[in-house]
Amino acid sequence: MIGFPMLNSRHCRIGALLALAWSSGAICSAEETAAVIHQSPKPLPAGFRADDWPRFLGPSDNAVSHETGLLKAWPPGGPALVWEIEKGEGWSCPAIVGDRLILFHRKAGREVVDCLERESGKPLWNFSYEAPYKDRYGSSDGPRTSPVIAAGRVFVYGVTGQMHVLDLADGKIVWQRDIEHDFQLLPSFFGRGSTPLVLGSRVILNVGGKDNVCVAALDAATGKTVWTAHHPWGASYASPIAAVVHGRECVFVFAGGESRPPTGGLLCIDAKTGEVLNATAHRASIAESVSASSPVVVNDRVFVTESYGSGGEAIDIAPDFSAHSAWKTDRFGAYFMTPVVKDGCLFGFDGQQPSLAELVCSDVATGKELWRDDLGGHFGRGSILLADGGALALGEFGELAWLELSPKGVVAKQRATLFKAPETWTLPALSHGLLYVCQNERSADGKPRRLLCYDLRGE
């Protein structure tokens, strides 16, 4: 689970636009949603490789950007702030394709989809709908999922189980489904929180519904159900990941919802048919525990991790698609962030509590812990994005760092405090040399929740 400007004073258009909205949904004028412009970004340097960021784990679903030519040296305050915009509740990561950025958040009891211009934050269109939800633990009521952009469409799955697919060009509804109703979803701790996987012509959701419908594939063009995968494990807060293993297109789902006793683990599912090929149990023994880190696929090995006691486990998928545990460790328990892979190693933050969190490096082949580092003790449970030969790490209180990661250790090449605010749990998005960071709670100096755009373009 991982995240936004105000709805109560906006005036929705009527007439033709209302005809495009379903029941409580509406396309609104976005003119009152204004970004604060600080400066223009630098031009892209010669030879720069630019990329989109269509989903919260990036173009390859592994928190890796292929961009090069990024800025490696910052002034003391960090990279230059290009623009910022006030946002609502939630931990959703923005999605960027071309010159358009999609922001998914909650304002005044409605879930909101804002389309902004990537380089300026200028509003292009806006869509919102009623989403009555109150978090039982007093946490944020905003969406836990992130938008996905694919084939010119925007896919959003909200905290109340409403699925909307919008046209990226103008925000008009292509189709919508009440997943909560249609699949009779089972109770969950924090509402719905698994980001959809758009895989070719299908949208794959970890739904956790009645009659053991754990995962469902919908037609991306129409929303009709293509297949359902049946398994008693419920919906987690991790997102499905696709990979071709032994020549077969598979979907890996780290499942497990609210149940007593708690159950869950890794499902390997045939992407075309929905057949459950294997299931490996991996869940904490604590009833009120969640799995929120997405599976990490390395060839035919899949790593899953959670921070409530079971830690991490590497699972091998054999050619006959049986599954076997390769190694386990209780010292690599990611709270909600997905680890990254580099130089044959897994890098990620271990620890359920911010004060005890440490960056850990483990060998993918053996599971041997090579090192751990608390990055000075105030970084907390951070997130990592690999880019341009290094790693951008965002601490959960607003600190940004350029890290050099290797099997031998970590070196912080640059560090800067962007703001001081809790729950900075959203992985940043990187596109065309611009870094988008979500401040999910009010900062120590009184700044409201914001989406901030920083210039990481090299000279």
Side-chain angles (χ1 to χ4, degrees):
M1 75 186 158
I2 41 163
F4 303 179
M6 296 187 101
L7 273 178
N8 50 359
S9 61
R10 285 191 190 137
H11 300 287
C12 296
R13 297 176 190 170
I14 58 175
L17 288 180
L18 286 176
L20 297 170
W22 75 281
S23 61
S24 59
I27 299 174
C28 302
S29 167
E31 55 190 277
E32 198 171 321
T33 307
V36 176
I37 308 294
H38 292 275
Q39 63 184 64
S40 298
K42 296 187 296 292
L44 288 171
F48 185 92
R49 177 175 174 177
D51 212 345
D52 291 326
W53 194 266
R55 189 169 179 264
F56 84 96
L57 286 175
S60 302
D61 283 329
N62 57 2
V64 175
S65 169
H66 304 295
E67 298 204 341
T68 58
L70 298 174
L71 186 68
K72 299 294 180 67
W74 308 330
L81 180 59
V82 177
W83 58 264
E84 62 178 278
I85 193 167
E86 188 175 333
K87 77 179 190 71
E89 294 180 279
W91 296 288
S92 182
C93 176
I96 305 108
V97 168
D99 64 351
R100 300 195 167 216
L101 178 149
I102 299 297
L103 186 61
F104 186 38
H105 54 123
R106 181 186 182 89
K107 285 270 187 164
R110 299 175 73 87
E111 286 188 323
V112 184
V113 183
D114 279 316
C115 181
L116 310 173
E117 192 175 69
R118 184 193 69 224
E119 294 207 1
S120 67
K122 175 185 175 182
L124 300 175
W125 56 257
N126 164 280
F127 175 84
S128 73
Y129 57 92
E130 293 285 349
Y133 173 78
K134 189 67 178 176
D135 186 84
R136 73 167 92 160
Y137 299 98
S139 186
S140 170
D141 298 330
R144 275 81 171 148
T145 65
S146 297
V148 179
I149 303 175
R153 293 175 177 177
V154 178
F155 298 77
V156 288
Y157 181 51
V159 73
T160 62
Q162 303 301 312
M163 181 87 189
H164 290 84
V165 179
L166 311 172
D167 192 299
L168 179 61
D170 55 20
K172 294 178 181 178
I173 295 177
V174 178
W175 57 264
Q176 65 83 23
R177 279 192 71 172
D178 185 344
I179 302 298
E180 180 94 17
H181 173 270
D182 294 351
F183 290 94
Q184 299 181 59
L185 303 189
L186 301 178
S188 58
F189 292 116
F190 303 103
R192 311 305 159 190
S194 180
T195 295
L197 168 66
V198 181
L199 185 60
S201 63
R202 295 171 186 177
V203 185
I204 297 172
L205 285 172
N206 181 197
V207 294
K210 189 179 178 182
D211 299 327
N212 292 335
V213 177
C214 181
V215 182
L218 312 180
D219 186 282
T222 66
K224 294 181 179 179
T225 302
V226 177
W227 55 251
T228 54
H230 291 256
H231 197 279
W233 294 340
S236 72
Y237 293 86
S239 301
I241 297 295
V244 176
V245 179
H246 303 302
R248 192 172 192 172
E249 189 171 43
C250 299
V251 174
F252 291 96
V253 179
F254 190 21
E258 181 175 358
S259 63
R260 285 171 173 76
T263 58
L266 180 69
L267 297 177
C268 176
I269 300 171
D270 186 290
K272 294 181 180 179
T273 67
E275 177 188 356
V276 177
L277 303 174
N278 60 63
T280 305
H282 187 88
R283 180 74 186 271
S285 59
I286 303 170
E288 290 190 323
S289 61
V290 297
S291 299
S293 176
S294 294
V296 178
V297 183
V298 187
N299 299 319
D300 57 2
R301 178 164 290 183
V302 187
F303 180 72
V304 291
T305 175
E306 60 82 39
S307 68
Y308 289 83
S310 294
E313 182 173 8
I315 300 160
D316 285 344
I317 310 299
D320 64 355
F321 286 92
S322 58
H324 311 275
S325 178
W327 52 263
K328 296 181 181 180
T329 175
D330 60 1
R331 289 173 56 80
F332 201 135
Y335 189 52
F336 43 76
M337 299 307 180
T338 300
V340 295
V341 178
K342 182 177 184 288
D343 300 330
C345 296
L346 284 160
F347 299 89
F349 285 87
D350 167 53
Q352 189 179 346
Q353 302 299 325
S355 60
L356 301 177
E358 294 177 305
L359 179 59
V360 176
C361 172
S362 293
D363 183 85
V364 172
T366 65
K368 179 182 178 181
E369 183 179 304
L370 302 180
W371 54 261
R372 60 177 50 229
D373 195 305
D374 66 0
L375 298 182
H378 304 289
F379 209 77
R381 301 160 297 186
S383 54
I384 302 174
L385 187 164
L386 297 181
D388 202 7
L392 286 161
L394 180 65
E396 68 175 300
F397 303 108
E399 184 176 3
L400 182 68
W402 256 119
L403 303 179
E404 185 179 281
L405 300 176
S406 76
K408 296 182 178 180
V410 56
V411 178
K413 310 296 280 188
Q414 294 284 319
R415 297 181 73 153
T417 299
L418 304 180
F419 48 80
K420 294 181 179 180
E423 298 189 10
T424 306
W425 295 344
T426 305
L427 180 72
L430 177 64
S431 181
H432 291 74
L434 301 179
L435 186 73
Y436 302 89
V437 176
C438 291
Q439 177 195 316
N440 296 323
E441 291 295 335
R442 186 172 293 274
S443 64
D445 60 358
K447 296 289 180 63
R449 301 180 186 95
R450 297 174 293 167
L451 171 65
L452 304 109
C453 172
Y454 293 93
D455 190 353
L456 273 188
R457 295 174 178 177
E459 301 296 341

